[in-house]
Every structure is written in C-alpha cells, then in structure tokens.
C-alpha cells in the first residue's frame, strides 16, 4: 500500500498495521482511532491541565466580579455571520 494519502515517513511496520486496521469494521476503526488518540493525550505537557483549570477559575472570577462581560449566544452568532467580530482584530 503506497497510497499518497498516507505519510511516506511511515515504517513498513506502521503501513502493515494501517492496512490491517483499514480492513476492520467502521466501529472497530473508530474504537482503535480513539484508543490511539488517547495514548497521545497521555504525553501532554505536565501542568497543562492545571494551567487550564487556573485560567477557567480566573475567567469565572472575572465574570463574578464584573471585570468581564458575557455576550449572549445569539449575539455571537450574529457577529460570526456578519463578520463583525473580525473588525476587532484588524
């Protein structure tokens, strides 16, 4: 299987595994892909989850103390549809 869709840097062992995986049912492929992705998540930098939790807590506190203002979902959708949110970044 030397299809251009697949990474040319794959070893023959990886290509063989891929070929076997592609012969699985859709459900089995989805389960396998999920397991592989989870195995990559285990290598996330230490402290990232803690940093995100701190950031979430900070943002909640900003909302609670009036330092930040929530925008209703309907307003966000309108801004996205009209592109008006992009003007803020130009």
């Amino acid at each position: 299987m030397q299809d251009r869709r697949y990474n040319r840097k794959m070893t023959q062992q990886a290509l063989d595994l891929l070929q076997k995986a592609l012969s699985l049912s859709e459900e089995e492929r989805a389960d396998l892909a999920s397991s592989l992705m989870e195995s990559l998540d285990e290598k996330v930098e230490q402290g990232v989850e803690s940093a995100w939790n701190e950031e979430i807590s900070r943002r909640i506190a900003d909302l609670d103390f009036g330092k930040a203002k929530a925008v209703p979902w309907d307003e966000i959708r309108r801004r996205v549809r009209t592109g008006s949110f992009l003007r803020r970044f130009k």
Side-chain angles (χ1 to χ4, degrees):
M1 172 194 305
Q2 292 301 326
D3 194 317
R4 280 184 252 171
R5 293 177 294 171
Y6 305 114
N7 187 336
R8 293 180 184 179
K9 294 180 182 180
M10 277 190 189
T11 64
Q12 188 59 49
Q13 181 183 17
L15 288 169
D16 292 344
L17 284 170
L18 176 61
Q19 187 172 12
K20 288 178 184 176
L22 291 173
S23 70
L24 298 172
S25 71
E26 186 174 323
E27 183 178 354
E28 290 172 313
R29 289 192 322 269
D31 289 342
L32 178 61
S34 177
S35 295
L36 289 170
M37 293 302 292
E38 285 177 18
S39 75
L40 295 174
D41 287 344
E42 292 172 6
K43 298 184 185 217
V44 173
E45 276 186 54
Q46 289 191 6
V48 170
E49 187 171 350
S50 176
W52 270 114
N53 287 334
E54 287 176 25
E55 179 64 16
I56 291 166
S57 294
R58 185 190 65 75
R59 291 181 185 203
I60 290 171
D62 284 352
L63 284 167
D64 288 345
F65 293 108
K67 292 181 179 179
K69 179 181 156 194
V71 179
W73 175 240
D74 289 340
E75 175 65 13
I76 297 298
R77 277 200 337 236
R78 184 191 66 73
R79 290 179 188 180
V80 169
R81 268 189 264 123
T82 63
S84 63
F85 74 98
L86 292 175
R87 290 185 210 116
R88 181 176 166 189
F89 300 107
K90 290 183 179 181

